[in-house]
């Protein structure tokens, strides 16, 4: 990748309340659009116990809606994330294979010293089924990739503080209240990935969290500028790049 590449991200879209003109613009400027379901149903069992047809309707349906309403005609909607990270087991991934979804990004990899790289479901998962109501795929499903969410180390001082459980989304790190804590979280976890196997660092946000924490959006922008000006071999990319 050339150094001049613009930072880009992936936006997982659910249908409810979505402004598709904004989705179209995000796609036009080079961001990736993925699907997050039609209904974003709040009942956990709806997803973890959902059958093939449930996942088909929710995800293939969401893709069709996004492609139609946001005028995305290049076949680039190939990824998905399960609402509330409630993975749907074999039914979800078999639907993905049949509907030619390239990847899922819903399974959390537990916090360990060395993060997990994306992996194909041609083979057994390289980590234990962690969270997600324990409904990971139990058999080989060729052709589908998992882009795992490596848990973040949320300790204020990793060299001193006692061990804490990790958090899967940046916005789920419940102990992050202040801008300096947010900056430290980003930098420490970046160095943890960069200094070991350089597995991709997934920074996943609930937009409402950035809005409700005043000034956090600027912290994120400033940190990204710092990283890009300091490291010539680090890029902010979409999940399919």
């Amino acid at each position: 990748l050339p150094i001049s590449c613009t930072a880009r991200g992936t936006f997982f879209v659910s249908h409810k309340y979505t402004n598709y003109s904004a989705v179209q613009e995000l796609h036009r400027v080079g961001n990736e659009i993925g699907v997050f379901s039609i209904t974003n149903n709040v009942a956990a069992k709806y997803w973890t116990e959902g059958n093939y047809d449930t996942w088909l309707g929710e995800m293939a349906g969401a893709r069709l809606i996004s492609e139609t309403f946001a005028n995305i005609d290049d076949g680039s909607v190939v990824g998905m994330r399960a609402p509330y990270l409630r993975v749907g087991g074999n039914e979800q991934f078999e639907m993905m294979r049949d509907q030619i979804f390239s990847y899922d990004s819903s399974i959390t990899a537990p916090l360990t010293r060395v993060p997990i790289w994306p992996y194909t479901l041609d083979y057994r998962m390289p980590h234990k089924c962690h969270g997600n109501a324990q409904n990971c795929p139990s058999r080989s499903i060729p052709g589908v990739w998992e882009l795992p969410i490596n848990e973040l180390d949320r300790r204020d001082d990793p060299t001193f503080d006692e061990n804490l459980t990790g958090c899967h989304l940046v916005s789920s790190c419940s102990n992050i209240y202040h801008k300096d804590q947010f900056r430290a979280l980003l930098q420490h976890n970046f160095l943890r990935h960069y200094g070991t196997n350089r597995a991709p660092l997934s920074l996943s946000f609930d937009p409402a969290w950035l809005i409700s924490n005043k000034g956090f959006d600027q912290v994120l922008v400033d940190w990204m500028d710092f990283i890009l000006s300091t490291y010539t071999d680090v890029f902010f990319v979409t999940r399919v790049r």
Side-chain angles (χ1 to χ4, degrees), residues 23-241:
V23 174
Q24 183 176 16
E25 179 62 13
L26 286 168
H27 176 261
R28 185 191 69 80
V29 299
N31 295 290
E32 180 194 1
I33 304 301
V35 294
F36 197 57
S37 81
I38 293 177
T39 66
N40 200 22
N41 193 305
V42 298
K45 288 186 177 182
Y46 178 81
W47 304 105
T48 55
E49 299 178 6
N51 62 25
Y52 183 100
D53 288 340
T54 297
W55 286 98
L56 175 66
E58 288 280 2
M59 297 302 179
R63 177 167 61 185
L64 178 60
I65 291 171
S66 293
E67 289 176 337
T68 303
F69 290 1
N71 194 30
I72 301 173
D73 58 4
D74 58 1
S76 62
V77 184
V78 295
M80 56 167 283
R81 172 165 287 172
Y84 315 104
L85 306 183
R86 295 284 185 170
V87 178
N90 296 325
E91 289 77 9
Q92 173 191 335
F93 290 89
E94 287 170 356
M95 179 281 296
M96 292 176 61
R97 176 199 60 204
D98 295 347
Q99 295 298 313
I100 318 180
F101 279 100
S102 298
Y103 75 87
D104 169 75
S105 187
S106 308
I107 296 178
T108 302
L111 180 62
T112 56
R113 186 185 67 82
V114 178
I116 301 292
W117 272 84
Y119 52 87
T120 173
L121 291 174
D122 289 44
Y123 309 101
R124 178 183 293 181
M125 291 170 51
H127 60 87
K128 68 178 182 179
C129 188
H130 179 69
N132 310 306
Q134 303 293 315
N135 197 20
C136 299
S138 62
R139 55 178 174 263
S140 170
I141 303 179
V144 179
W145 282 75
E146 179 61 35
L147 278 58
I149 303 171
N150 285 287
E151 282 194 328
L152 300 169
D153 185 343
R154 59 192 176 97
R155 292 175 293 172
D156 288 338
D157 183 355
T159 63
F160 174 77
D161 290 345
E162 64 183 29
N163 288 335
L164 295 173
T165 57
C167 46
H168 42 278
L169 308 181
V170 178
S171 47
S172 67
C173 296
S174 57
N175 62 318
I176 304 301
Y177 300 108
H178 306 294
K179 289 186 286 186
D180 58 340
Q181 291 177 309
F182 181 34
R183 171 67 182 243
L185 174 82
L186 295 171
Q187 184 63 14
H188 165 58
N189 282 281
F190 164 74
L191 291 175
R192 191 170 64 85
H193 283 244
Y194 188 80
T196 54
N197 63 352
R198 300 198 179 185
L201 172 61
S202 174
L203 296 174
S204 301
F205 298 91
D206 178 341
W209 185 82
L210 276 176
I211 294 170
S212 62
N213 287 279
K214 189 175 182 181
F216 276 32
D217 55 347
Q218 191 59 51
V219 170
L220 178 61
V221 170
D222 292 344
W223 176 75
M224 291 175 66
D225 287 341
F226 165 76
I227 292 296
L228 292 173
S229 63
T230 305
Y231 300 89
T232 59
D233 55 353
V234 176
F235 305 91
F236 290 89
V237 299
T238 68
R239 280 171 166 74
V240 294
R241 296 292 189 270

